[in-house]
Amino acid sequence: MLKLLMTRKLPDPVLEKARETFDVTVRDNTQPMDHEELLSSLKDYDVVLPTLGDAYSAEVFSAVPHQRCKLLANFGVGYNHIDADAARKVGIEVTNTPGAVTDATADIALMLMLMTCRRAGEGERMVRAGRWQGWHPTQLLGLHMSGKTLGIVGMGRIGQAIAHRAHFGFGMTIKFYNRSPKDVSFPAEQIDTLGDLASQVDVLVVAVPGGAETHHLIDASVLQKMKPHAHVVNIARGDVVNEADLITALSEGQIAGAGLDVYEFEPEVPKALTDLDNVTLLPHLGTAALEVRTAMGLMAVDNAIAFADGRPLPNAV
Ligand code: NAP
């Protein structure tokens, strides 16, 4: 039997499915693997199911000259923690779990949009602290989101699911910026530059993959173009947004608020952010629902089984 390592505990049906084909080891730690664990994962297992934070860099691959591992079946669509080019160079294939995450992550984006526009975090903190003295007509007035203009940065699977919800559910006008030209099945206008998009929208949602190409894509130059009543939401990867520039924009009133599911130096969240009232902070909840995590795990295991059977990998990256 081929040996498979799950680098985190996954839902039971995923483990059961994997055990039908593999001799499975489940790592008993919720933190990303350290350097030594990364090296032994490549030496001791045929297949690894890694996830967010398991940093398979080019240095890790070159530190293990004769890898037993031939497949990294990533749990998650985002795989910016794996240097996939370096993996391929040493004969290791990489797969991910596209599609399984789309609706759940789009839902979280809509939640963050509403929470930041309607100041839900501030209100919740006020109630919990016993500071609420009752309803009055000018209390906690936020941005009325219905009918406003939404800008999507990265009109892929998740970007389109967000836009679809916002257009049909909230009557929002959709504009977007994307690396390549994109036709979508609902009314939406592609804008040529990110700066132009930022200047035209009431809410800007970031939905591009992480990695070198998108590092600090949203920085001071983009934030300064936004309207002072506008909000930024990031459900992509933390380092797509320059966090220091975002903190400046939020504290100086260049923008009205932000909703974040991800952080530049995750899981570190700077005090400058937690001190601000006009930012909603979630602990990377994008796909955090049991059926979604199960579907992601089964998809990763399907890739592993295809590898074991010598079939083409369904979700090679
Ligand atoms: P996807 O379908 O591959 O969509 C990505 C989109 O971004 C594509 O349309 C792509 O354009 C565009 N893009 C890539 N680089 C760009 C750039 N430099 N400038 C402008 N546009 C660019 O991926 P997805 O399934 O929607 O997932 C997107 C990301 O969301 C994932 O990679 C992951 O990091 C993140 N995510 C987060 C959570 C969470 O828990 N918060 C959950 C799931 C996913 P092209 O058309 O040119 O390819």
Side-chain angles (χ1 to χ4, degrees):
M1 244 184 180
L2 295 178
K3 286 184 71 181
L4 180 148
L5 173 67
M6 284 182 184
T7 72
R8 308 288 192 288
K9 182 178 173 348
L10 297 179
D12 290 341
V14 180
L15 186 56
E16 284 156 23
K17 180 81 184 158
R19 283 197 169 130
E20 289 171 11
T21 305
F22 298 97
D23 169 8
V24 180
T25 301
V26 182
R27 187 170 156 268
D28 183 22
N29 190 332
T30 59
Q31 297 300 308
M33 289 192 288
D34 65 23
H35 188 71
E36 285 310 310
E37 289 179 293
L38 287 163
L39 299 186
S40 52
S41 73
L42 297 177
K43 275 187 228 149
D44 300 338
Y45 296 90
D46 301 287
V47 175
V48 180
L49 258 75
T51 192
L52 189 85
D54 293 331
Y56 283 100
S57 61
E59 294 71 47
V60 167
F61 293 119
S62 58
V64 184
H66 303 291
Q67 292 99 352
R68 174 169 176 169
C69 178
K70 291 286 172 272
L71 174 65
L72 298 177
N74 188 56
F75 177 85
V77 68
Y79 58 90
N80 55 308
H81 50 281
I82 300 173
D83 187 332
D85 290 334
R88 268 188 291 273
K89 279 189 190 131
V90 297
I92 298 177
E93 302 210 65
V94 181
T95 60
N96 68 345
T97 61
V101 302
T102 302
D103 285 333
T105 311
D107 291 349
I108 287 286
L110 267 293
M111 183 164 80
L112 279 171
M113 288 164 64
L114 283 168
M115 284 186 77
T116 181
C117 288
R118 298 299 298 274
R119 303 174 63 177
E122 273 178 82
E124 223 251 357
R125 286 192 291 279
M126 178 196 279
V127 173
R128 281 183 187 274
R131 284 187 279 107
W132 187 42
Q133 296 182 338
W135 186 92
H136 69 78
T138 55
Q139 183 177 59
L140 282 177
L141 301 183
L143 175 72
H144 181 53
M145 198 175 88
S146 292
K148 295 294 190 302
T149 299
L150 170 63
I152 304 269
V153 182
M155 196 59 132
R157 286 172 293 253
I158 296 172
Q160 288 177 50
I162 296 167
H164 195 273
R165 282 159 171 72
H167 179 70
F168 293 106
F170 294 86
M172 296 184 84
T173 298
I174 309 298
K175 302 191 178 197
F176 68 94
Y177 170 75
N178 195 68
R179 181 174 53 188
S180 44
K182 186 137 285 183
D183 283 327
V184 293
S185 62
F186 45 82
E189 182 188 357
Q190 182 156 7
I191 304 291
D192 288 343
T193 71
L194 185 49
D196 283 347
L197 180 74
S199 69
Q200 294 175 25
V201 301
D202 303 298
V203 183
L204 188 72
V205 176
V206 185
V208 288
E213 195 187 326
T214 56
H215 182 78
H216 286 183
L217 188 65
I218 309 293
D219 61 6
S221 70
V222 174
L223 295 165
Q224 279 159 8
K225 295 207 169 64
M226 292 182 65
K227 299 173 182 173
H229 71 259
H231 293 252
V232 171
V233 166
N234 186 9
I235 52 80
R237 282 291 179 265
D239 67 352
V240 178
V241 176
N242 182 324
E243 208 159 75
D245 290 356
L246 177 66
I247 289 165
T248 304
L250 287 166
S251 2
E252 294 183 355
Q254 287 164 24
I255 61 171
L260 306 177
D261 192 37
V262 288
Y263 304 88
E264 185 163 1
F265 304 104
E266 207 168 307
E268 251 174 70
V269 181
K271 187 166 181 307
L273 266 185
T274 55
D275 279 350
L276 285 171
D277 244 343
N278 57 346
V279 59
T280 302
L281 306 168
L282 297 184
H284 205 142
L285 290 183
T287 58
L290 180 58
E291 67 187 78
V292 178
R293 293 276 162 86
T294 303
M296 290 164 68
L298 292 175
M299 201 166 186
V301 169
D302 276 348
N303 280 281
I305 294 172
F307 164 78
D309 292 348
R311 286 184 284 115
L313 301 174
N315 307 106
V317 303

